[in-house]
Every structure is written in structure tokens, then in C-alpha cells.
Amino acid sequence: TAGLADCFRDDSICLVEWPERVGSALPSPDLALTLAHHVDPTMPGRQLTLRAQSKAGERCLNAIIAAPARTT
């Protein structure tokens, strides 16, 4: 798996851009992230959608929701 196994651990989050380009070398995702342009063109930026796809993904999503919002 080209060393990819070291990236996917229970104690970490690994984001893969364009996972469809890697094919079957990746494990099934626990959490799916989708970036899209807003339907309303007057809205700035993009919309991020998070979707849990496993129990581990649900735990991760719940932790993200529970975390205090931060601004930069």
C-alpha cells in the first residue's frame, strides 16, 4: 500500500484529497467531507458537509460538533 497503512491509525485523522484517484489502496472512509460552492451565488466561500460512515466516523463527527468554535 505504498506506506499508506502507517497513515491510517485509530488515534489520528488522515485526510486524502481525491481518494477516487487511489482506487482500492485506501480503507473505507469513516468520515466523508464534501466541499461545494453555495447554491446562492451571493454567499462567500464554500460549504463543507461532513458525513459519518462508520461508528468511528460518528465519534469523530460528534467530537467536532462538541469542540468550541475557533476563529483566526
Side-chain angles (χ1 to χ4, degrees):
T1 60
L4 290 175
D6 295 336
C7 298
F8 298 97
R9 302 184 334 236
D10 290 339
D11 65 341
S12 64
I13 295 175
C14 184
L15 301 176
V16 178
E17 186 176 13
W18 307 110
E20 63 276 8
R21 293 183 181 181
V22 182
S24 62
L26 294 174
S28 297
D30 293 311
L31 191 62
L33 288 72
T34 305
L35 278 175
H37 292 282
H38 289 281
V39 176
D40 180 352
T42 65
M43 294 290 295
R46 294 185 185 186
Q47 181 176 347
L48 173 64
T49 303
L50 303 162
R51 189 176 68 250
Q53 298 190 176
S54 69
K55 291 290 184 189
E58 288 176 16
R59 289 191 302 274
C60 185
L61 183 56
N62 289 334
I64 292 169
I65 292 168
R70 296 191 312 181
T71 59
T72 56

